[in-house]
Each structure stands twice: as C-alpha cells, then as structure tokens.
C-alpha cells in the first residue's frame, strides 16, 4: 500500500511538471511566433493572455516566469529583458495569486509591466520614459483583459476545464 501511494505521488509530480512545462512552452512559442509584436517599444504580447492561469492555480506562475525568461532570451534587449522582464513576471504572478477577484488581473499586469518594462525601454533603448510606460501598460492591459474575458467565458461553459486548471 505504501509503495502504491509513493507511485501515485510520483505520477502526480510528473503530471504537475508536465503541465508547468507545457504552459511555459506555449508561452515561448506564442512570443516567438508573434515576435514583431512581442518585443519592443509597443508590445502586444499575446502569450500574456495566460497570466490569468495563476489566479486558478499558483503553480502556473512558475510556468509563466520560466516562459518569460526563455522567450526573453530571444529579445532584442537580450540580458536586460531576461532580467527585468522576468522580474516583472514574478511580481505580476505574485499579485495575481493574492487577488480575490480576477477583474483586477489586467490592471495589475498593466501597471507592473508598464512601470518595469517602460523603465527598461527608457534605460536600454533611450526611449521616452512616460510614453514607454503608457504603451507597455496599455498593450499589457488589453491583452490580459482579453485573457480574463476568455477565461470567464470558459468558466461559464466548461467547469471541467477550470477544475482541471485547479488540480
């Protein structure tokens, strides 16, 4: 019986790691496939739709942080984006996990990314600070709001999928 429980726990661990890896891989694939709008002064990073996932289960924060780091390896800003983009993702995921209402996810993501990535664009590319913050914040807000709307719609029609996310 003890061996069976150990085997079940190992399977669960492998299953969890697989979910985390798949989400990270999808994030990276979306960033790279849509690279012209994923990086730069005006960002519309479609992969950020998945920022809603940590609201359902905090483990997906790991996926998104890992995905951000890997996707930012290919960023024109290189190491700066790997560091600051990843820090921004960590902060956004921490805030999202603590939120009780998903209505605030897009606002939190927009403000945090707008400030951090806007400052990064200012210091690395010497772009206008305020405009960079606004462009990034608006792009992030719109994409994440779409994610919130999509996941809210899914909740209404497919509770099984939402429960699967919560496992």
């Amino acid at each position: 019986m003890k061996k069976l429980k150990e085997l079940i726990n190992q399977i669960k661990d492998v299953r969890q790691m697989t979910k985390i890896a798949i989400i990270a891989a999808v994030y990276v694939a979306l960033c790279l496939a849509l690279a012209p709008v994923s990086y730069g002064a005006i960002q519309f990073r479609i992969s950020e739709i998945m920022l809603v996932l940590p609201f359902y289960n905090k483990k997906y924060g790991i996926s998104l942080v890992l995905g951000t780091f890997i996707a930012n390896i290919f960023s024109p800003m290189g190491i700066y984006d790997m560091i600051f983009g990843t820090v921004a993702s960590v902060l956004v995921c921490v805030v999202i996990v603590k939120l009780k209402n998903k209505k605030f996810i897009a606002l939190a993501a927009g403000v945090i990314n707008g400030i951090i990535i806007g400052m990064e664009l200012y210091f690395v590319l010497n772009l206008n600070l305020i405009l960079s913050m606004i462009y990034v914040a608006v792009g992030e807000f719109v994409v994440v709001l779409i994610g919130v709307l999509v996941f809210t719609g899914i909740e209404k029609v497919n509770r099984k999928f939402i429960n699967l996310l919560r496992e």
Side-chain angles (χ1 to χ4, degrees), residues 51-61 89-106 108-109 112:
L51 275 177
V52 181
L53 292 173
F55 181 80
Y56 296 102
N57 192 321
K58 63 184 175 184
K59 74 178 173 204
Y60 295 118
S89 288
V90 168
L91 293 174
V92 169
C93 288
V94 166
V95 169
I96 290 170
V97 166
K98 295 188 180 297
L99 289 175
K100 301 292 181 216
N101 188 330
K102 68 179 171 291
K103 292 178 184 177
F104 300 107
I105 293 173
I112 293 168

Side-chain angles (χ1 to χ4, degrees), residues 22-126:
I22 289 170
I23 297 298
V26 169
Y27 184 98
V28 173
L30 284 171
C31 281
L32 295 179
L34 302 167
V37 295
S38 296
Y39 306 100
I42 299 176
Q43 297 184 13
F44 202 73
R45 202 176 261 204
I46 301 301
S47 55
E48 295 284 288
I49 285 174
M50 295 190 299
L51 275 177
V52 181
L53 292 173
F55 181 80
Y56 296 102
N57 192 321
K58 63 184 175 184
K59 74 178 173 204
Y60 295 118
I62 297 166
S63 302
L64 298 172
V65 169
L66 180 61
T68 299
F69 179 79
I70 294 168
N72 286 345
I73 291 170
F74 303 97
S75 168
M77 291 188 288
I79 190 76
Y80 298 107
D81 219 9
M82 291 166 62
I83 294 167
F84 296 107
T86 303
V87 167
S89 288
V90 168
L91 293 174
V92 169
C93 288
V94 166
V95 169
I96 290 170
V97 166
K98 295 188 180 297
L99 289 175
K100 301 292 181 216
N101 188 330
K102 68 179 171 291
K103 292 178 184 177
F104 300 107
I105 293 173
L107 181 62
V111 169
I112 293 168
N113 276 293
I115 292 169
I116 294 173
I117 306 306
M119 290 176 69
E120 176 189 356
L121 291 167
Y122 170 74
F123 287 112
V124 176
L125 299 179
N126 201 27

